[in-house]
Amino acid sequence: MTQAYPPEEGNNLSMRNVTHLIYGLFALGLLSAGFFGIATVAAIVLAYVKRGDAAGTVYANHFDWVIKTFWWGLLWVILSGLATFIFIGWLTGLIALVWIVYRIIKGWLALFSGQSPVAEY
């Protein structure tokens, strides 16, 4: 059963807006300077800073989703960089980039539709 996000009143920067900002910064960082763009780093720092505020809310899954996407993506980008010496790194790097973009799009669309990015069984 899915749970819609409750409206937040009396808060100038709601958790929903912060979550949109995190997804937007992550996407901007990928588009502007690749995985290591300053906007991507800002998104992850913001996600860690606001993670405690999101705990116990429906937005917590989004924060975990973005943080896991960053760290797993970073691992695969580094491994792909090392693998370029044996000429398969370009392929694995492209796969890693597609995976990162997919997760950002899936998570952001889930946020827009009021859902969690993680399938709940």
Side-chain angles (χ1 to χ4, degrees):
M1 180 174 175
T2 59
Q3 179 182 11
Y5 294 130
E8 297 179 39
E9 297 178 19
N11 190 352
N12 291 336
L13 192 57
S14 71
M15 289 310 299
R16 183 174 177 87
N17 290 341
V18 169
T19 309
H20 278 295
L21 180 61
I22 289 169
Y23 279 117
L25 286 170
F26 202 132
L28 179 64
L30 288 175
L31 291 173
S32 64
F35 189 73
F36 298 106
I38 189 73
T40 301
V41 173
I44 298 308
V45 168
L46 182 59
Y48 273 112
V49 167
K50 298 302 267 180
R51 191 180 199 184
D53 295 343
T57 70
V58 292
Y59 300 102
N61 284 336
H62 287 281
F63 283 74
D64 292 340
W65 180 264
V66 169
I67 290 169
K68 287 177 185 175
T69 299
F70 175 79
W71 288 113
W72 280 105
L74 180 62
L75 173 68
W76 286 109
V77 166
I78 290 171
L79 291 176
S80 295
L82 294 173
T84 58
F85 294 112
I86 56 173
F87 304 109
I88 63 166
W90 299 110
L91 177 62
T92 58
L94 179 62
I95 292 169
L97 179 62
V98 168
W99 178 81
I100 293 166
V101 170
Y102 163 77
R103 287 192 42 111
I104 294 303
I105 291 171
K106 180 180 177 183
W108 210 351
L109 288 175
L111 179 63
F112 275 114
S113 66
Q115 307 295 320
S116 170
V118 184
E120 296 178 24
Y121 298 100

